[in-house]
Amino acid sequence: MTTDLSSTATALFEKMRATNPLVHCITNYVAMNYAANVLLAAGASPAMVHTPEESGEFAAIAGALTVNIGTLSPHWVEGMIAAAQSANAAGKPWVLDPVAHFATRYRRDVVAELLKLNPTVIRGNASEIIALAGGQSAGQGVDSGDPVEQAEGAARALATAQKAVVAVTGEIDFVTDGTRAVRIAGGSPLMPKITAMGCALTGLVGAYVAIAKDQAFEATIAALTNFAVAGSFASQSANGPASFMTAFVDGLHSLDATTFNDTARIEAL
Amino acid sequence: MTTDLSSTATALFEKMRATNPLVHCITNYVAMNYAANVLLAAGASPAMVHTPEESGEFAAIAGALTVNIGTLSPHWVEGMIAAAQSANAAGKPWVLDPVAHFATRYRRDVVAELLKLNPTVIRGNASEIIALAGGQSAGQGVDSGDPVEQAEGAARALATAQKAVVAVTGEIDFVTDGTRAVRIAGGSPLMPKITAMGCALTGLVGAYVAIAKDQAFEATIAALTNFAVAGSFASQSANGPASFMTAFVDGLHSLDATTFNDTARIEAL
Amino acid sequence: MTTDLSSTATALFEKMRATNPLVHCITNYVAMNYAANVLLAAGASPAMVHTPEESGEFAAIAGALTVNIGTLSPHWVEGMIAAAQSANAAGKPWVLDPVAHFATRYRRDVVAELLKLNPTVIRGNASEIIALAGGQSAGQGVDSGDPVEQAEGAARALATAQKAVVAVTGEIDFVTDGTRAVRIAGGSPLMPKITAMGCALTGLVGAYVAIAKDQAFEATIAALTNFAVAGSFASQSANGPASFMTAFVDGLHSLDATTFNDTARIEAL
């Protein structure tokens, strides 16, 4: 089982790198530069386009759309909605990253609107997914206050209710489509000490669903595995969060399929 | 005296790291990513929330608020004012960073509005503090054209007039509450060659006042000392501004209380 | 000829570093931090000021203006137009970077408005310049789909029509004022794998035209040569895109005139 999962993920990794998918990212101000560099290093072609005057038109051109609500404002929300509607109309997958959606009323309202637009994949930390499924999370601000394991039930419920793939990322990631579920190990304890790692990962999920839109579950697993593998290697040479970032992006760029396959740690549940 | 100042700063450093304070940052587009990484590495939990629809609500939740006017626009100014009013109402400290406030009429008007909202701490470079106290600065753009020493009188006057702690940062930092004053040495000549170092430091002052809101003077000293200590170490291994940034963030992350205390160079005046 | 071109570029390099020009940058969210660090390392003083309430006033103060349309919205476009008009009125040079202007109708309309304001220099990748001259480009998103050589005719036509210097950057750069033309070699194959390299280069062109406004052709060549030289050195020590970025910024900072002159590879056509 694990072998099959790894080889599927490795095949998607190879396809993503060969295809160089155009990913339409509407993400927050904090993440934009780092997410773009992560996607470029991993082999995708990111484009940041947010204003409603063009976000709908661009979403129909790109291979996939990602929407991250980290630094919201009404003008951006309009652009997010226009883009998600256009992605849906054009049959393009889209990924929602509900950053700290529980922190304020405005954020809760916006995420409720976005959920109505049927995201293909929802990626969040444990606190975000628990709260999205209606539970009580321990989160404050943008960092998770809950371990991933506590969000597994919430993730399954949310996936079923939304007919979406749900990914909870943390020390060990969890991915489910409501029926199937896997855990993915790897990465580094330094990752939560670097801003926008989750946002960049959301972008990478976009790159994978862009090249495998009928396999959103497998594509999400492949994206998270890509991150975890690169994170494990970067961890070996890093002296702290900033040297980790450098090693991580360099590692994403130099990663090959054999190493990907050998290092992947995907467990079916 | 110096020993007492160092041990107070060290105690606040330990408390900040143990507490992981949530810091609400409204900062400029240039600084957001770097400031977030600096705060995370130093041990705080930054959150960037700017839109007036939620900035007031969030300011009441966070431990402290920081407002930096680097890349202004009317919508953001509304968000800054709502946040500062809410911080005041909730008894939360807030820090003002008046970036290049003398450069345009719009900037001068905005900073005048913000000063009415009683910032707990004001941090700027020498040109900014001189101009804020009504003097003639040599600044153009965002870089200081004046040495810190020339701003000491202006800083004392501003602190007294505003009933705020004022920090002037540069080669040797100066902090005053109008009565007491200290100088803090350390850092690196490379720091002015890296954008958003001052903005990131403003965020770190927020992290310290969040855990010591009744000791804003001591908290500001501790934050500046934290920066200066990490800067001194990074200077030893850097080959230029970018490798300095990496070493600096890594160093903030690995810094311990003994090293902090041994390296602090705080002089009471 | 090549020797003359190199010594002119080297002289402008020395002047730029000695002068520390204030460059008004209106650039995209992705590029802001990196562009600012590139300009600081190279010896300029960047300032990011975009809102129409102050962009016109600031453009008249700065030595040059640069406008990059990477992450557009109506409020920013207003600020760009106000700044370009003010730069023109004050006799200050300005540089246009038409990022992915062909991707959406909104972007095409905005770039048409900006072209009416007579940019001194236009810098883009091959797909952008081909499309700007009315040709059919292979670009999608922000990455070029065409080699530089295919854009040389378009660049000459655009330079003549616009009475502007046109720079096409890529593996080998091409610069023309419609009559004269050069190619500049150097750099690294990693450069397209790093976001905002082109945007940062646009900022650096601004720094050079600020100190040589009557020599926009020579200033543009000098800026591109500065980038290519620093890129060649960074390429020697980089392990991937992120370590390249670090080496590149450090290298810009430590570059001296002798190395600049010895490494410059400028070919007159």
Side-chain angles (χ1 to χ4, degrees):
Chain A
M1 189 66 177
T2 299
T3 307
D4 284 357
L5 287 165
S6 293
S7 47
T8 302
T10 305
L12 290 171
F13 166 76
E14 290 188 283
K15 184 173 179 191
M16 195 276 291
R17 287 177 82 99
T19 314
N20 187 29
L22 179 62
V23 185
H24 179 182
C25 301
I26 306 184
T27 191
N28 63 75
Y29 302 121
V30 185
M32 283 196 190
N33 182 276
Y34 190 63
N37 278 325
V38 163
L39 265 69
L40 282 168
S45 178
M48 274 61 183
V49 174
H50 71 283
T51 200
E53 284 79 6
E54 60 174 355
S55 66
E57 185 179 346
F58 198 76
I61 298 166
L65 166 71
T66 69
V67 173
N68 171 299
I69 66 163
T71 53
L72 279 178
S73 61
H75 181 78
W76 281 68
V77 173
E78 268 184 70
M80 292 171 183
I81 289 171
Q85 287 173 332
S86 171
N88 286 340
K92 302 294 176 76
W94 77 278
V95 186
L96 175 63
D97 187 340
V99 182
H101 65 93
F102 47 76
T104 65
R105 166 177 287 271
Y106 179 60
R107 226 158 255 263
R108 285 190 295 276
D109 291 349
V110 168
V111 93
E113 282 303 304
L114 291 170
L115 282 177
K116 289 181 197 161
L117 297 172
N118 303 313
T120 314
V121 183
I122 302 168
R123 190 217 63 80
N125 65 34
S127 294
E128 287 157 357
I129 299 302
I130 290 169
L132 218 52
Q136 186 66 39
S137 85
Q140 68 163 9
V142 299
D143 301 320
S144 183
D146 303 280
V148 171
E149 303 84 64
Q150 282 189 24
E152 293 189 357
R156 286 184 191 267
L158 183 66
T160 302
Q162 283 282 325
K163 296 191 176 62
V165 174
V166 174
V168 191
T169 58
E171 200 181 326
I172 295 186
D173 301 331
F174 177 78
V175 183
T176 182
D177 62 359
T179 308
R180 295 171 292 173
V182 303
R183 290 199 190 105
I184 300 162
S188 159
L190 284 170
M191 282 166 135
K193 289 290 169 194
I194 299 158
T195 198
M197 284 302 279
C199 314
L201 176 49
T202 295
L204 194 60
V205 173
Y208 276 88
V209 294
I211 56 99
K213 67 178 195 164
D214 299 321
Q215 294 174 280
F217 180 66
E218 290 81 359
T220 303
I221 293 169
L224 270 52
T225 303
N226 196 344
F227 231 63
V229 166
S232 297
F233 281 104
S235 201
Q236 295 170 11
S237 63
N239 297 315
S243 53
F244 179 89
M245 286 170 76
T246 301
F248 181 68
V249 170
D250 280 3
L252 283 170
H253 182 254
S254 61
L255 188 59
D256 61 42
T258 305
T259 310
F260 185 105
N261 191 64
D262 291 351
T263 317
R265 291 169 57 196
I266 313 168
E267 177 198 4
L269 298 178
Chain B
M1 190 63 178
T2 298
T3 307
D4 284 357
L5 287 165
S6 294
S7 47
T8 302
T10 305
L12 291 171
F13 166 76
E14 291 188 282
K15 184 173 179 192
M16 194 277 290
R17 287 177 82 99
T19 315
N20 187 31
L22 180 60
V23 185
H24 179 184
C25 300
I26 305 184
T27 190
N28 63 75
Y29 301 121
V30 185
M32 282 196 190
N33 183 275
Y34 190 63
N37 277 325
V38 163
L39 265 70
L40 283 166
S45 178
M48 272 64 183
V49 174
H50 70 282
T51 199
E53 284 79 6
E54 61 175 354
S55 66
E57 185 179 346
F58 198 75
I61 298 166
L65 166 71
T66 70
V67 173
N68 171 298
I69 67 163
T71 53
L72 279 178
S73 61
H75 181 78
W76 281 68
V77 173
E78 268 184 70
M80 292 171 183
I81 290 171
Q85 287 173 333
S86 171
N88 286 341
K92 302 293 176 76
W94 78 277
V95 184
L96 174 63
D97 187 340
V99 181
H101 66 92
F102 47 77
T104 64
R105 166 178 286 273
Y106 180 59
R107 225 158 256 263
R108 285 191 295 277
D109 290 350
V110 168
V111 94
E113 281 304 304
L114 291 169
L115 282 177
K116 289 181 196 160
L117 296 172
N118 303 313
T120 314
V121 183
I122 302 168
R123 190 216 62 81
N125 64 34
S127 294
E128 287 157 357
I129 299 301
I130 290 169
L132 218 53
Q136 187 65 37
S137 84
Q140 68 163 7
V142 299
D143 301 320
S144 183
D146 303 279
V148 171
E149 304 82 64
Q150 281 190 24
E152 293 189 0
R156 286 185 191 267
L158 182 66
T160 303
Q162 282 282 326
K163 297 192 175 62
V165 173
V166 174
V168 191
T169 58
E171 201 182 325
I172 295 186
D173 301 331
F174 177 78
V175 183
T176 182
D177 63 358
T179 309
R180 296 171 290 175
V182 303
R183 290 199 190 106
I184 300 162
S188 158
L190 284 169
M191 282 165 136
K193 289 290 168 193
I194 300 158
T195 197
M197 285 301 281
C199 314
L201 175 48
T202 294
L204 194 60
V205 172
Y208 275 90
V209 293
I211 57 97
K213 67 178 194 165
D214 299 320
Q215 294 175 280
F217 179 67
E218 291 80 1
T220 303
I221 294 170
L224 271 53
T225 303
N226 196 345
F227 231 62
V229 166
S232 297
F233 280 104
S235 200
Q236 295 169 13
S237 63
N239 296 315
S243 53
F244 179 88
M245 285 169 77
T246 301
F248 181 68
V249 170
D250 281 2
L252 283 169
H253 183 253
S254 62
L255 188 61
D256 60 41
T258 305
T259 309
F260 185 105
N261 192 64
D262 291 351
T263 317
R265 291 169 56 196
I266 314 168
E267 177 199 3
L269 297 176
Chain C
M1 189 66 177
T2 299
T3 307
D4 284 357
L5 286 165
S6 293
S7 47
T8 302
T10 305
L12 290 172
F13 167 77
E14 290 188 284
K15 184 172 179 193
M16 195 277 290
R17 287 177 81 99
T19 315
N20 187 32
L22 179 62
V23 185
H24 179 183
C25 302
I26 306 185
T27 191
N28 64 74
Y29 301 121
V30 185
M32 283 197 189
N33 183 275
Y34 189 62
N37 277 325
V38 162
L39 265 70
L40 282 167
S45 178
M48 273 62 182
V49 174
H50 70 284
T51 200
E53 284 79 4
E54 60 174 355
S55 66
E57 184 179 346
F58 198 75
I61 299 166
L65 167 70
T66 70
V67 173
N68 171 298
I69 67 163
T71 54
L72 279 178
S73 61
H75 181 79
W76 282 68
V77 173
E78 269 185 70
M80 292 171 183
I81 291 171
Q85 288 172 332
S86 171
N88 286 342
K92 302 292 176 78
W94 77 277
V95 186
L96 175 63
D97 186 340
V99 182
H101 66 94
F102 48 76
T104 65
R105 166 177 287 274
Y106 179 59
R107 226 156 255 262
R108 285 191 294 276
D109 291 349
V110 167
V111 93
E113 282 303 304
L114 291 169
L115 282 177
K116 289 181 197 160
L117 297 171
N118 302 314
T120 314
V121 183
I122 303 169
R123 190 216 63 80
N125 64 34
S127 294
E128 287 156 357
I129 299 300
I130 290 169
L132 217 53
Q136 186 66 38
S137 85
Q140 67 162 12
V142 299
D143 301 320
S144 183
D146 302 280
V148 171
E149 304 84 65
Q150 282 190 23
E152 293 189 357
R156 285 184 191 266
L158 183 65
T160 302
Q162 283 282 327
K163 298 191 175 61
V165 173
V166 174
V168 191
T169 58
E171 201 181 325
I172 296 188
D173 301 331
F174 177 77
V175 183
T176 183
D177 62 358
T179 308
R180 295 172 291 174
V182 303
R183 291 201 188 103
I184 300 162
S188 159
L190 283 170
M191 282 166 134
K193 289 291 169 193
I194 300 158
T195 198
M197 284 301 280
C199 314
L201 175 48
T202 294
L204 195 60
V205 173
Y208 276 89
V209 293
I211 57 97
K213 67 178 194 163
D214 299 321
Q215 295 174 279
F217 179 66
E218 291 81 1
T220 303
I221 294 169
L224 270 53
T225 303
N226 196 344
F227 231 62
V229 166
S232 298
F233 281 104
S235 201
Q236 296 170 9
S237 63
N239 296 315
S243 53
F244 179 89
M245 286 169 77
T246 301
F248 181 68
V249 171
D250 281 2
L252 283 170
H253 182 254
S254 62
L255 188 60
D256 60 43
T258 305
T259 309
F260 185 105
N261 191 65
D262 292 350
T263 317
R265 291 170 56 198
I266 314 169
E267 177 199 3
L269 297 177

